[in-house]
Amino acid sequence: MKGRKLRLVLLLGVSGLFLLAWIFPIFWSLLNAFKSEQDVLAYPPKLIFTPTLAAFDDVLFGPTSIVPNLVSSFIISIGTTIVTMVLAIPAAYALARLRVPGKKWSGFYVLATQMLPPVGIIIPYFLILRDIGWIDTYQGIILIYLSFSLPFAIWLLVSYFEDLPFEMEEAAFIDGASRMMTLWRIILPQVRGGVAVTVVFVFLNAWNEFLFAVVLSGNVVRPVTISMFNFVSVEQTLWSKLAAVSALAMLPVIILGIIAQKHIVKGLTVGAVKGGGRR
Amino acid sequence: MSPMKPSRRHVLQAGLAAVAVPAFIRAGLAQDGDLAPYQSAKIDWRQAAGEQITVAVIPASYFDNLIALAPQFEALTGISVRFEKIPPAQIRQKAVIDLTSKAGGYSTHAADPMYYALYAANKWVESLDPYLKDAALTDASWFQADDIIPAWRNANTIEGKLYGVPYDGEVTIQVYRKDLYDAKGLKAAETLEDFVSNAAALNDPSNRLWGTALRGVAGAGQNVYIYSSLFREFGGEWFPGGKFRVNGPEAEAALNWYVDVMRKYAPTAAQNWNWPDIADAFSQGTVASYIDANTSASVINNPEKSKVVGKVGFARWPKGPTGKRVSSIWNWGFPINAALPEKRKKATWLFIQWAASLPTQARTSYQYAGPAKRSGVNRLSLWKNPDYVKLMDSFGDNFVAATLGALEHDTDVNWRPRVPQWPAIGDTLATAIQQALVGQATTKAALDEAQRRLEPMMRG
């Protein structure tokens, strides 16, 4: 009994340490967002200080306002997520359920696109977008983001479709439903959790992307990941503003996570008899 | 590069308010009187009217000042200018992609002097000499190219041809706590030995005061920035007998000095510091001296951030064992993209000439309406202008004399090997220095390994 208690305490202690290590950078960054520049640099580090909203005020309403950049990030991330999901759901369903020649290989091919280091494909992408006049446009960036978000989404969704029992679809077919109607009315509600997880990840990847954005964007499209660098100039790092921008950039993702969490849990618990597979 | 008594808020407000109010500037500043100093040049400023050029710059107050004045250029020439701000770490990559693909996306960009050899070897940018010599495009007596700091021009010159006109730049000098030095009767170091003994005299980690700090983080523009100058001061040659060499006794001596100083007198964290980190530490009073770009003066004099305002002294880079001072220099210059159509090349040249001219340099620095005055002006005559000197000397004791002395006498055009392979050399050397600093390898082994890696690249 004693041993069990000790084990529990140890386990809780270790988990607590991991949690601390995980949460500390975020906590510290948030704290810095409310500090003056001198308080950020103070030694010993200040835990008690007079909080100020000056950094938020500057980054939101000052001359370097990041609001247009947040708008850019929203358009890109939402656009990428919508197009990805519209294409990925039928593709993943087909991979999971239809008998098409070369299906095995097409699945691998989709995965293989994820193996290319992004830096190696920037130049071809740049050339293609330049030739079609899509540099520094939303459609251009979204198109390029699809190249990594679509395979990822398909792979994630396939496993959810495979988990569903065939019997549900067969029952719907017997009732006279078409395949699309079955997908829409019967299958999708069952994989709501999977769709929610996929949406979160696709949105997150697009929201945080930097490498492609810095090369393919310009003055018109300027996501927040790039504008953040305005606070790390060659002259100095403006720590509290950088922290304020980071906090603001984190916020939409956190909100999305909280909203999606409900569906994720529901999707995982509610539902049908397990036991599908790939046909 | 920054204001007299710069505050963060002011730096940003001035630079960026200027971007935000182009309409006001158009109406208020681009009057005939404003254009008069340019119209006295005997060239037709409107010969490329109707062209549109795109200029890539980094986010920095000195470029913000230029962007603020761009409506004057547009009114003068009829050329429209579109600026794009790109983070400093990415501008090289983006410019190279644009140049490689011959997309002509950027008519000109804030260019790294170390890249001109690569640009020139691939004919990505134009030699600017024909533009300077063409009387229809340049009024030589008005533009006075010789007034532009020769060290920066040399840095942008490859095989006798100028490829980028410097707009703003820096030079590396000694920065020290005058109050601490005075209290101990120390003087700014004349030699590297003095520098070490000053650092030793003040080093007191138990009271959170370290003798010095030098850039420690690995990178072509970081630890290599300091090491290369030391290498040259210890008598190192990049191409002894025509063969590329980064190892040998001089290299080892230089690296030993660097490693020794960093281990004994710098905070351990400095192994990962770049210059903003050093300036931050100095501004908090924890570092007694450092050697770095003169432009960090704006940060250590920022009253919102710094605790050492009014306690700072400046001096030239200490002499090495060879008796030479070799200061590292830097400038952001403007080249002309070779992929542009002819008329746009002319438009780009007119922009470069306007940006680098004395009136624009004055208007973006001490005459600038906002508080973010530039300290990196490109003209010797401005560095000797009493109004500008008065403004700059508020940075601390001896600031202008140290900076100008270094700019005129201490720079060595070959302080880094100016060859197309530079990006690879810089990265390899950075790794070697870092390995020696953190004790992963002896200085000899680290440099020998760098030599072994670089030799095939230099042959190819």
Side-chain angles (χ1 to χ4, degrees):
Chain A
M1 195 65 188
K2 214 174 173 188
R4 191 183 287 176
K5 237 183 199 169
L6 190 72
R7 264 209 304 276
L8 190 71
V9 169
L10 266 175
L11 196 69
L12 281 175
V14 172
S15 312
L17 275 178
F18 274 114
L19 189 70
L20 200 69
W22 173 73
I23 216 153
F24 185 76
I26 298 169
F27 165 74
W28 197 248
S29 168
L30 277 177
L31 213 60
N32 282 345
F34 294 97
K35 285 182 179 175
S36 72
E37 206 61 50
Q38 248 185 5
D39 283 341
V40 173
L41 293 174
Y43 186 90
K46 282 188 176 177
L47 270 171
I48 296 160
F49 57 91
T50 317
T52 167
L53 287 172
F56 286 99
D57 185 40
D58 267 351
V59 302
L60 281 174
F61 308 110
T64 35
S65 171
I66 57 144
V67 173
N69 311 111
L70 286 169
V71 171
S72 261
S73 285
F74 268 115
I75 297 174
I76 293 171
S77 307
I78 293 172
T80 305
T81 310
I82 292 173
V83 181
T84 301
M85 294 314 287
V86 165
L87 298 174
I89 288 171
Y93 177 71
L95 270 177
R97 285 291 192 261
L98 301 187
R99 288 197 189 92
V100 283
K103 192 167 80 171
K104 219 167 154 187
W105 292 107
S106 66
F108 177 74
Y109 175 75
V110 164
L111 190 67
T113 59
Q114 298 289 286
M115 296 172 189
L116 278 169
V119 75
I121 46 179
I122 281 186
I123 293 181
Y125 280 162
F126 176 85
L127 293 175
I128 292 165
L129 290 192
R130 183 202 64 183
D131 287 351
I132 58 175
W134 278 12
I135 292 278
D136 197 17
T137 61
Y138 285 109
Q139 64 271 29
I141 302 246
I142 291 171
L143 181 75
I144 299 307
Y145 281 15
L146 281 179
S147 68
F148 57 82
S149 66
L150 198 54
F152 173 79
I154 292 171
W155 262 87
L156 210 59
L157 286 169
V158 161
S159 60
Y160 286 98
F161 285 124
E162 284 177 347
D163 273 352
L164 290 179
F166 300 123
E167 291 77 8
M168 289 173 65
E169 283 159 275
E170 280 162 1
F173 293 149
I174 289 165
D175 288 345
S178 69
R179 197 172 274 279
M180 282 311 283
M181 195 187 278
T182 312
L183 174 63
W184 186 248
R185 292 269 173 85
I186 311 291
I187 308 292
L188 273 185
Q190 296 301 325
V191 292
R192 203 187 295 159
V195 172
V197 170
T198 314
V199 163
V200 171
F201 277 110
V202 169
F203 184 90
L204 199 74
N205 286 342
W207 185 266
N208 288 333
E209 207 285 326
F210 175 80
L211 196 62
F212 288 114
V214 77
V215 174
L216 305 174
S217 71
N219 277 345
V220 181
V221 181
R222 210 168 169 72
V224 74
T225 41
I226 296 171
S227 66
M228 224 178 248
F229 270 82
N230 286 354
F231 304 97
V232 191
S233 74
V234 286
E235 296 157 308
Q236 57 186 321
T237 304
L238 302 168
W239 294 108
S240 52
K241 288 195 184 86
L242 188 64
V245 179
S246 310
L248 290 169
M250 260 190 281
L251 205 62
V253 182
I254 292 172
I255 293 172
L256 181 74
I258 292 168
I259 297 170
Q261 203 171 24
K262 199 172 68 185
H263 297 286
I264 294 168
V265 175
K266 208 183 262 176
L268 290 175
T269 51
V270 176
V273 194
K274 297 281 176 188
R278 188 182 274 216
R279 278 195 173 175
Chain B
M1 195 174 258
S2 271
M4 183 166 82
K5 292 239 167 162
S7 76
R8 269 177 317 117
R9 184 176 295 259
H10 287 162
V11 170
L12 286 173
Q13 272 176 356
L16 296 153
V19 183
V21 289
F24 162 76
I25 290 160
R26 239 177 228 114
L29 291 181
Q31 305 292 332
D32 285 352
D34 293 318
L35 304 184
Y38 303 98
Q39 282 159 340
S40 66
K42 292 185 183 67
I43 53 165
D44 174 14
W45 282 102
R46 301 195 70 82
Q47 59 188 296
E51 280 294 323
Q52 185 184 1
I53 61 170
T54 301
V55 181
V57 294
I58 57 159
S61 60
Y62 43 85
F63 281 123
D64 289 334
N65 295 10
L66 186 72
I67 293 168
L69 290 190
Q72 288 187 357
F73 172 75
E74 293 181 329
L76 177 72
T77 60
I79 297 163
S80 63
V81 192
R82 181 179 163 271
F83 286 93
E84 190 176 314
K85 286 189 200 172
I86 305 168
Q90 279 73 35
I91 195 165
R92 298 169 186 83
Q93 179 194 30
K94 215 171 164 180
V96 167
I97 291 175
D98 182 51
L99 293 168
T100 331
S101 67
K102 304 203 187 311
Y106 301 124
S107 304
T108 184
H109 67 277
D112 180 333
M114 295 310 300
Y115 275 57
Y116 286 117
L118 178 71
Y119 289 179
N122 289 293
K123 296 189 170 56
W124 288 335
V125 295
E126 297 260 301
S127 160
L128 300 179
D129 297 327
Y131 293 86
L132 278 165
K133 285 177 191 149
D134 186 340
L137 284 168
T138 311
D139 178 348
S141 62
W142 178 84
F143 184 58
Q144 294 180 31
D146 291 345
D147 187 32
I148 298 175
I149 292 163
W152 292 350
R153 275 189 288 130
N154 288 342
N156 300 359
T157 301
I158 304 295
E159 290 173 4
K161 290 179 182 165
L162 181 72
Y163 285 96
V165 180
Y167 164 74
D168 194 290
E170 66 185 34
V171 67
T172 299
I173 55 176
Q174 261 182 86
V175 186
Y176 63 95
R177 282 281 299 282
K178 198 171 181 311
D179 57 330
L180 300 180
Y181 272 45
D182 287 348
K184 288 227 171 182
L186 303 173
K187 284 191 178 131
E190 266 295 301
T191 63
L192 289 177
E193 278 177 28
D194 296 344
F195 188 78
V196 173
S197 62
N198 284 349
L202 290 169
N203 196 49
D204 184 9
S206 54
N207 286 315
R208 289 193 58 75
L209 179 67
W210 282 269
T212 189
L214 302 170
R215 295 187 192 193
V217 70
Q222 284 96 40
N223 55 4
V224 181
Y225 196 65
I226 298 296
Y227 167 76
S228 299
S229 292
L230 291 169
F231 171 72
R232 298 285 290 148
E233 284 200 345
F234 275 84
E237 297 278 344
W238 299 113
F239 290 94
K243 194 171 169 272
F244 182 71
R245 193 160 175 211
V246 293
N247 59 352
E250 297 88 2
E252 280 169 41
L255 191 52
N256 281 333
W257 186 90
Y258 169 85
V259 169
D260 200 45
V261 166
M262 286 289 278
R263 286 204 190 146
K264 283 187 184 156
Y265 308 118
T268 317
Q271 292 181 352
N272 294 310
W273 283 359
N274 200 355
W275 79 258
D277 310 298
I278 298 173
D280 279 349
F282 186 86
S283 73
Q284 296 309 298
T286 55
V287 167
S289 68
Y290 64 94
I291 298 176
D292 216 302
N294 66 324
T295 44
S296 61
S298 63
V299 179
I300 57 177
N301 276 292
N302 180 347
E304 273 190 30
K305 208 170 177 179
S306 176
K307 294 177 180 168
V308 299
V309 178
K311 299 175 182 170
V312 186
F314 299 91
R316 283 157 64 182
W317 188 303
K319 286 178 191 164
T322 54
K324 267 200 307 188
R325 298 178 202 265
V326 182
S327 178
S328 34
I329 50 162
W330 177 269
N331 74 86
W332 290 111
F334 287 126
I336 295 181
N337 189 333
L340 301 178
E342 283 309 310
K343 196 176 172 195
R344 202 169 304 154
K345 282 182 187 165
K346 280 185 185 170
T348 308
W349 172 252
L350 291 173
F351 169 79
I352 295 171
Q353 190 178 182
W354 170 81
S357 70
L358 184 59
T360 305
Q361 290 287 316
R363 286 174 181 195
T364 49
S365 60
Y366 76 98
Q367 291 176 0
Y368 190 68
K373 324 283 189 201
R374 288 172 56 211
S375 69
V377 296
N378 72 0
R379 291 188 170 257
L380 289 171
S381 59
L382 259 185
W383 277 100
K384 291 168 185 167
N385 174 317
D387 289 329
Y388 182 71
V389 169
K390 195 174 149 204
L391 182 77
M392 288 301 114
D393 264 344
S394 65
F395 276 146
D397 193 52
N398 204 35
F399 180 72
V400 170
T403 303
L404 195 55
L407 279 171
E408 287 192 299
H409 307 294
D410 301 346
T411 50
D412 164 355
V413 71
N414 290 318
W415 68 276
R416 285 193 277 182
R418 296 182 310 141
V419 288
Q421 294 91 335
W422 165 255
I425 296 174
D427 289 345
T428 310
L429 216 43
T431 310
I433 297 166
Q434 177 84 347
Q435 279 180 330
L437 181 61
V438 301
Q440 278 178 354
T442 62
T443 49
K444 184 177 186 320
L447 290 165
D448 288 348
E449 171 67 10
Q451 178 70 22
R452 196 186 62 73
R453 281 170 183 263
L454 287 169
E455 257 170 26
M457 290 183 210
M458 300 308 287
R459 278 200 299 269

